[in-house]
Amino acid sequence: MAMAMDQDKDDIVRRVIRLLASQPNNVIGFADLHANFKSLIEKRQFESLLRNYADQFELFKDGQLFVRLDIKVKVCEMHCSNQICPGNISVCKGLHICKRYILYGNCTHNPCIVGHDLTTSHNMEVLSQLLLDQLPMPLVEDLLKRPIQICEFYNRAGGCRNDEAGKPCPFLHLCKNNIIQGCKRKNCQRSHFIHMSTVRNVLEKHGISMGRIPKENLAEFRKIMQANDGNFSRRDGPIPEPMVERVRQATSDMVSETAANNILNKKICIYHLKSRCAYFERCFNYHCELLYQWFYRFDDSANWETVEPQENMRMELHYSDPAYVEYKLFIGAMLVQLKFKTMKGEGGGKQLTFHRVSTETSAILDSHPLATSWQWFWMAENGDWNKYGDDADGYRSTISGQDLEQAYISNPDGQLKFSTQGHEYILDFAKMVQCNLKFKTEREVSRRPKFVSKDELERRKKQPKIQKPAGSATSGFVPVAPPHWNLRPTDELLNHCELVPLDKRNPRMNTEYNRIEKMFFETMPNTVAIVSIDRVENGDLWHNYVSKKDKLKKRNKGVDVEERQLFFGTSNDTVEAIYRQGFDFRLNGTASGARYGKGSYFATTAKYSHPYTDRQKETMGMFVSKVLVGDYTKGDKSYIRPPHKDPLDLSSPLYDSCVDSVTDPKIFVIFELGQVYPEYLIKYKSDELLNHCKLVPFEEENATLKKVLEVENIGIMRKRLEAQNKQLTGENSRLEDDNSKMKELHQRQEETIKKLTDENLRTKQLEKYCFLYYWLHSDCHVSLETPARTYISIHPPDTKGFHSHQPNVVQSLDEDIKRLGNPTEIMPLVGLNVNEIDEWYKTIDVHFEQWTDDYRMLETALVKGSDDFKNYLAKHKPSIPNKMCPLYIYSAAWEHTLTNCDSSRWHND
């Protein structure tokens, strides 16, 4: 089966690149890869083809043959050094882009004069030569990057394969724990020394200077690695085993049983992304670290499982482009082919279902930086996808993608009529097709999210201001805070969230307080007492509310829709979550049985909402909320949104809310977050004893009834006293616990003081010692330092890095470290007469020749400190001394130290 043209080869290579780019570590077994192309090319020809494209692929054996996507790209050095490059592809085949940005992702210049744009004409020609020009640019950047990575295999028991093969490893051979958080192992077998030549070479290749002292280098390097989440090497990562030998493994990312039942109704919690979700574990929404998360489950299983992080981003990148209708990924060892349109996958003889969860659409959270932006496309006759709102074939649609999204969210099963300058159309959301009403031709329609990378998400989290999308349905409308809010001019509306207590005695607040108090007591008995009324000032929720109000007004031809103040009773443990995040319709309203629809229930009277508060608690909470009730109709328990105003016309608008009675509504059911704003929080309490006494008929003349009342009141008082006694018992128990904790804290403080005292003693003891510094990695050098900072270090002539024809005297440890790096060993010398060494050193000429032709000056100093050192030096000195190797001094020093101190003292010192 021969291939006819080079173009056919390039097409196959492009498909192979796309497939490998979607795999973990960009690696796949050759047999598994060829299975996707066996109808196009024979196995032997396929292998030969891949080997001929050495700039794209690496073939290697590890039990079997594997293929790795390994893009070999050059960056133009002339362009990076600000020189003028000819720029002709026949002359320069390197990218004209910042090297630090594209390869290592650590360019600090803003703006960068070298440039970060891959889409220039020259760069697109280079990418075309590599067959990468048809891939999305974010994916190309990801494939080209070479971030600093710690070698994963070096940190495992088996070790790095490159070490075994005698090859230089492109990744860092350092202890991962030490770099990321500080290693706590006493005898760690991994390197902690970032100044090793192999590590230095990798770091300098990534543009990290090693000129600082070691502690500064380690701190800077630790900051970089923590910012990159402590990257491990992925290109040298785990290699997949053959499919026939592997089975699907259970994953730790399996979604809980409760979540599995509701995963289809979930959104990603925006407040968790901002690290301030107040619902915590009760939050119905999904908590993760991106704006999107893909799930899958096998059709013979009820458990949903998450797609692993890197694969999750690749899937999202492909899904954001309507040109991609299918996607291939590995789940365990099984290659699965997913069809985006049906969200169904197949692989290994099994059927799978996929589901995507994301943050709320920007059509609801209008212009919120963490909302998901959806784009709408229609397919032209030539197969290209055109975005709604763009000019196409001389016609411009009268409707934008934002308008479509708003209509779709309001009714995903409905229809929408719109026009261009020449034609009338109807778009069916259920079928995802648009039909020309005159010619009856149909076009396929696609709704895809705008891709957001990890970096873009972090930028959006820091974005304080409201950004209005161009061409949105509410373009030009920017909500402002109410004038009576406690908001300074410099405060950002979206970041403002505060409970403001209303003070009845304050002239500026008493009118506001009295109005809410009056509403509350219109239906509540006077046995209830208000504890406090707080105004809710939440810029995030207010922005959503007034944006929704503006949209409904435009839909209603410029007339404001009906707005009411309604009551909402809730349990005390959800009060904070509501005023911070609004009403979660899937948690609230369930107590009423969802009789009028699956939404949140609001009442016209406080009396109706009272039973849904924590009546068993001393203080209860109730919200007074602004609600856009709009046009309403009778609700039904089957409704998940309001019905169409015209049941026979799917393109007719929906009602805005549902009620219990159209003629005299007491209950309103709201299905959309933006239609409600929790305006006030009322906290109140009820005197149950007073309630009880007022309900009992009492006649002073009737002695029998009086006695019954007395007995009942005594019973009530007894219950109260028992409850108070129980509360006091609990308080006593807590006081005892606090006393125990204080004793424990006092004991820990005493231990800390003792430890600090011992540490101070050890420090003073160490001040009596000399220190011997030993460099094993730099031509075996040794030096001596006394407590008075006398430093003896002689480098004989011809020593590497020093003068070749005269002795070299170094008089400080810092100078030696600057030339040689950190010492390999630091040894305290016990039992030396340090005063003798210091006095002797003052009397000599350190540049005198007899001291500097070898290490005799250091030997003399040690013998001055202790006569016994002469014997140790003679014992360890070789018969033919090597002036360049002072190893015998190091050995003699060890024997002297071990001989002159007992083991217990050595341990303590």
Side-chain angles (χ1 to χ4, degrees):
M1 191 186 309
M3 294 185 302
M5 301 170 62
D6 288 342
Q7 184 61 41
D8 296 332
K9 296 180 183 179
D10 287 350
D11 289 342
I12 290 178
V13 171
R14 291 181 192 274
R15 292 175 59 185
V16 172
I17 290 174
R18 285 187 178 183
L19 180 58
L20 285 172
S22 68
Q23 305 310 310
N25 308 322
N26 301 336
V27 178
I28 190 174
F30 176 78
D32 298 332
L33 180 62
H34 179 253
N36 294 276
F37 300 92
K38 60 184 179 182
S39 62
L40 302 176
I41 183 173
E42 293 178 349
K43 197 170 188 177
R44 186 177 302 173
Q45 289 179 312
F46 188 55
E47 181 180 348
S48 176
L49 172 67
L50 297 182
R51 293 190 184 278
N52 288 336
Y53 284 80
D55 287 341
Q56 288 86 359
F57 310 115
E58 177 191 0
L59 280 74
F60 63 96
K61 285 193 174 182
D62 192 354
Q64 63 161 323
L65 187 61
F66 288 91
V67 182
R68 175 188 286 125
L69 183 60
D70 186 18
I71 305 298
K72 298 177 180 63
V73 65
K74 294 180 180 179
V75 176
C76 177
E77 295 294 340
M78 290 183 67
H79 181 79
C80 287
S81 59
N82 256 349
Q83 300 179 39
I84 298 176
C85 175
N88 192 317
I89 194 67
S90 60
V91 178
C92 176
K93 297 186 182 298
L95 291 171
H96 285 187
I97 197 168
C98 174
K99 185 175 184 178
R100 287 192 172 188
Y101 168 76
I102 196 62
L103 296 184
Y104 312 129
N106 63 356
C107 178
T108 57
H109 299 290
N110 185 20
C112 177
I113 60 174
V114 182
H116 293 176
D117 188 4
L118 265 181
T119 61
T120 63
S121 58
H122 175 81
N123 287 341
M124 290 303 294
E125 287 188 60
V126 175
L127 296 178
S128 178
Q129 296 283 327
L130 294 168
L131 304 180
L132 301 176
D133 54 314
Q134 296 181 12
L135 292 176
M137 284 302 110
L139 179 59
V140 174
E141 288 190 9
D142 185 50
L143 293 176
L144 297 182
K145 273 188 170 56
R146 302 289 188 269
I148 309 172
Q149 296 171 335
I150 299 173
C151 181
E152 182 176 7
F153 285 93
Y154 176 76
N155 279 269
R156 292 181 176 178
C160 177
R161 294 196 299 266
N162 289 309
D163 281 348
E164 297 174 3
K167 300 177 181 178
C169 181
F171 308 113
L172 298 170
H173 282 198
L174 289 171
C175 173
K176 172 203 66 170
N177 291 329
N178 185 55
I179 294 300
I180 303 305
Q181 59 190 9
C183 182
K184 294 181 174 55
R185 294 180 181 175
K186 290 184 178 179
N187 298 308
C188 181
Q189 301 299 310
R190 311 291 186 269
S191 174
H192 293 184
F193 195 58
I194 67 171
H195 282 258
M196 289 176 59
S197 58
T198 53
V199 175
R200 188 195 299 262
N201 291 339
V202 175
L203 293 180
E204 290 181 348
K205 181 180 177 182
H206 286 77
I208 296 179
S209 171
M210 300 299 291
R212 300 184 183 90
I213 63 173
K215 284 187 179 180
E216 289 179 349
N217 270 326
L218 180 59
E220 179 69 18
F221 181 54
R222 183 171 287 163
K223 186 190 301 182
I224 293 171
M225 296 307 294
Q226 287 173 343
N228 293 335
D229 296 324
N231 280 343
F232 272 115
S233 54
R234 296 304 180 196
R235 297 178 183 272
D236 194 33
I239 296 173
E241 301 170 11
M243 281 189 181
V244 295
E245 297 178 5
R246 295 175 66 185
V247 296
R248 181 171 63 91
Q249 299 177 348
T251 174
S252 60
D253 293 329
M254 187 179 295
V255 181
S256 67
E257 184 176 352
T258 303
N261 296 331
N262 301 300
I263 195 71
L264 299 179
N265 299 320
K266 285 183 178 292
K267 303 288 184 184
I268 287 176
C269 178
I270 280 181
Y271 295 93
H272 172 74
L273 291 172
K274 295 192 289 187
S275 302
R276 62 185 198 199
C277 178
Y279 279 105
F280 302 106
E281 69 276 359
R282 296 186 70 247
C283 184
F284 190 89
N285 289 318
Y286 187 73
H287 286 188
C288 66
E289 303 309 317
L290 290 174
L291 301 185
Y292 44 84
Q293 177 62 56
W294 285 83
F295 295 86
Y296 68 90
R297 70 171 177 83
F298 290 85
D299 286 357
D300 57 0
S301 169
N303 292 321
W304 289 95
E305 300 177 29
T306 57
V307 174
E308 64 93 21
Q310 292 297 323
E311 193 70 72
N312 181 58
M313 285 192 287
R314 281 192 287 265
M315 286 182 72
E316 182 73 8
L317 179 62
H318 283 72
Y319 184 61
S320 64
D321 186 349
Y324 290 100
V325 295
E326 295 182 352
Y327 183 76
K328 291 183 179 180
L329 73 156
F330 274 97
I331 296 178
M334 184 172 64
L335 181 64
V336 176
Q337 183 166 341
L338 161 66
K339 294 185 177 180
F340 284 134
K341 190 171 184 179
T342 60
M343 288 295 179
K344 293 289 185 180
E346 182 177 1
K350 291 181 175 290
Q351 303 295 321
L352 298 89
T353 299
F354 285 79
H355 181 66
R356 178 187 176 278
V357 174
S358 64
T359 55
E360 188 64 86
T361 172
S362 57
I364 292 179
L365 300 182
D366 187 45
S367 309
H368 195 292
L370 298 184
T372 297
S373 297
W374 291 88
Q375 302 180 103
W376 287 78
F377 304 86
W378 58 275
M379 181 180 283
E381 290 183 4
N382 61 1
D384 291 340
W385 288 96
N386 296 321
K387 190 184 298 185
Y388 279 93
D390 293 346
D391 290 318
D393 300 329
Y395 298 103
R396 183 173 181 84
S397 171
T398 58
I399 196 166
S400 67
Q402 287 78 16
D403 297 324
L404 285 177
E405 180 66 14
Q406 185 66 51
Y408 174 80
I409 290 302
S410 299
N411 186 16
D413 299 321
Q415 297 175 343
L416 179 68
K417 292 179 181 178
F418 67 97
S419 65
T420 65
Q421 295 175 357
H423 300 280
E424 297 288 328
Y425 294 94
I426 188 165
L427 195 156
D428 191 318
F429 291 126
K431 297 178 181 178
M432 278 297 184
V433 294
Q434 71 173 29
C435 178
N436 186 304
L437 294 180
K438 180 178 180 180
F439 298 106
K440 304 302 179 184
T441 54
E442 291 188 345
R443 302 282 189 197
E444 187 177 351
V445 174
S446 182
R447 174 182 181 253
R448 295 293 176 93
K450 187 175 181 180
F451 178 72
V452 177
S453 66
K454 216 173 193 179
D455 293 340
E456 171 66 12
L457 173 59
E458 293 305 315
R459 187 189 67 79
R460 289 190 182 189
K461 286 180 182 180
K462 299 172 184 176
Q463 176 180 311
K465 295 186 178 179
I466 301 168
Q467 301 291 328
K468 299 299 297 182
S472 69
T474 58
S475 182
F477 173 73
V478 178
V480 295
H484 59 281
W485 273 20
N486 187 28
L487 188 69
R488 294 170 299 184
T490 56
D491 291 343
E492 290 291 344
L493 179 62
L494 286 183
N495 294 333
H496 181 67
C497 182
E498 185 178 350
L499 274 184
V500 179
L502 297 184
D503 186 353
K504 193 174 184 179
R505 297 166 298 179
N506 188 333
R508 297 176 58 190
M509 294 181 171
N510 61 357
T511 303
E512 192 176 2
Y513 184 99
N514 292 336
R515 177 169 53 85
I516 301 303
E517 182 185 45
K518 181 181 178 182
M519 283 179 58
F520 181 75
F521 280 117
E522 281 177 355
T523 55
M524 293 295 285
N526 56 9
T527 57
V528 170
I530 290 180
V531 176
S532 65
I533 299 178
D534 295 321
R535 183 201 306 137
V536 179
E537 297 184 1
N538 188 318
D540 210 348
L541 299 180
W542 178 254
H543 171 258
N544 295 334
Y545 179 77
V546 292
S547 296
K548 181 64 177 178
K549 185 177 180 179
D550 185 67
K551 292 174 185 176
L552 293 177
K553 180 179 179 179
K554 290 184 177 180
R555 194 194 69 184
N556 204 31
K557 299 180 181 179
V559 179
D560 283 323
V561 299
E562 184 178 352
E563 182 180 31
R564 295 198 182 200
Q565 279 186 309
L566 302 175
F567 293 93
F568 184 91
T570 187
S571 58
N572 290 353
D573 59 349
T574 61
V575 164
E576 182 180 0
I578 289 174
Y579 85 71
R580 288 189 180 279
Q581 296 174 221
F583 299 94
D584 191 324
F585 305 150
R586 294 153 298 189
L587 282 177
N588 301 313
T590 55
S592 61
R595 183 178 178 182
Y596 302 110
K598 298 176 176 63
S600 279
Y601 283 61
F602 296 84
T604 57
T605 63
K607 182 179 178 181
Y608 183 89
S609 294
H610 174 63
Y612 301 100
T613 62
D614 275 340
R615 288 180 293 169
Q616 69 275 19
K617 300 289 179 64
E618 182 180 356
T619 303
M620 293 154 280
M622 185 182 299
F623 284 94
V624 178
S625 303
K626 278 183 173 291
V627 183
L628 298 169
V629 298
D631 296 331
Y632 46 82
T633 188
K634 179 71 177 291
D636 186 88
K637 64 180 180 181
S638 64
Y639 290 163
I640 59 174
R641 66 180 63 86
H644 288 275
K645 291 183 176 180
D646 183 354
L648 300 179
D649 184 4
L650 294 180
S651 64
S652 66
L654 304 179
Y655 285 98
D656 300 308
S657 61
C658 293
V659 294
D660 58 335
S661 168
V662 176
T663 56
D664 186 20
K666 298 289 191 299
I667 302 169
F668 286 84
V669 186
I670 305 300
F671 299 86
E672 193 170 315
L673 175 69
Q675 285 181 234
V676 185
Y677 179 75
E679 191 175 14
Y680 297 97
L681 170 62
I682 304 173
K683 291 183 180 178
Y684 62 99
K685 60 184 178 180
S686 176
D687 191 335
E688 297 296 340
L689 177 59
L690 185 59
N691 285 343
H692 180 81
C693 292
K694 288 206 168 187
L695 290 173
V696 177
F698 180 78
E699 295 289 343
E700 198 165 349
E701 307 82 37
N702 193 330
T704 306
L705 286 177
K706 183 177 180 181
K707 196 169 184 179
V708 169
L709 272 179
E710 287 175 352
V711 170
E712 289 184 352
N713 286 338
I714 290 171
I716 292 172
M717 293 301 296
R718 181 185 294 117
K719 287 183 179 179
R720 278 208 165 171
L721 289 172
E722 288 175 353
Q724 290 176 355
N725 184 51
K726 185 177 181 181
Q727 185 177 357
L728 288 172
T729 303
E731 286 293 333
N732 187 46
S733 176
R734 281 194 292 273
L735 287 172
E736 289 179 356
D737 290 341
D738 290 342
N739 187 38
S740 176
K741 289 178 181 177
M742 288 299 293
K743 288 181 179 178
E744 184 179 342
L745 178 61
H746 182 66
Q747 184 179 350
R748 285 203 302 268
Q749 288 175 338
E750 289 182 343
E751 291 174 355
T752 302
I753 291 171
K754 185 176 183 302
K755 187 183 294 184
L756 290 172
T757 303
D758 293 344
E759 187 68 29
N760 188 41
L761 180 61
R762 281 196 296 271
T763 302
K764 288 182 177 179
Q765 289 173 336
L766 286 175
E767 289 176 354
K768 301 181 298 184
Y769 301 151
C770 291
F771 284 91
L772 192 77
Y773 300 99
Y774 180 55
W775 285 264
L776 176 62
H777 56 281
S778 300
D779 299 325
C780 287
H781 182 65
V782 64
S783 66
L784 179 71
E785 186 176 32
T786 72
R789 296 295 182 264
T790 295
Y791 189 71
I792 303 173
S793 175
I794 302 298
H795 294 267
D798 297 325
T799 303
K800 184 178 179 181
F802 290 89
H803 201 284
S804 59
H805 301 298
Q806 67 183 38
N808 297 274
V809 179
V810 174
Q811 294 181 321
S812 74
L813 176 61
D814 288 341
E815 189 176 348
D816 263 343
I817 290 177
K818 186 175 180 181
R819 291 174 176 270
L820 306 176
N822 286 337
T824 310
E825 299 285 348
I826 302 175
M827 184 193 310
L829 297 179
V830 181
L832 287 182
N833 189 332
V834 295
N835 292 329
E836 282 289 331
I837 297 176
D838 290 331
E839 291 301 322
W840 166 79
Y841 188 76
K842 293 175 183 177
T843 64
I844 67 169
D845 181 359
V846 294
H847 295 283
F848 190 56
E849 185 177 352
Q850 66 170 316
W851 303 119
T852 56
D853 60 346
D854 56 20
Y855 287 94
R856 279 182 292 167
M857 178 179 176
L858 187 55
E859 292 179 32
T860 305
L862 291 170
V863 172
K864 286 287 182 183
S866 172
D867 292 337
D868 295 336
F869 235 111
K870 186 182 297 183
N871 299 328
Y872 301 135
L873 288 169
K875 178 179 178 181
H876 293 282
K877 195 168 185 177
S879 56
I880 304 176
N882 182 353
K883 295 181 180 180
M884 300 297 291
C885 183
L887 180 60
Y888 69 95
I889 297 177
Y890 176 75
S891 302
W894 259 115
E895 185 170 352
H896 167 82
T897 297
L898 293 174
T899 305
N900 281 272
C901 65
D902 57 72
S903 59
S904 62
R905 180 184 170 191
W906 174 256
H907 177 74
N908 291 331
D909 289 351

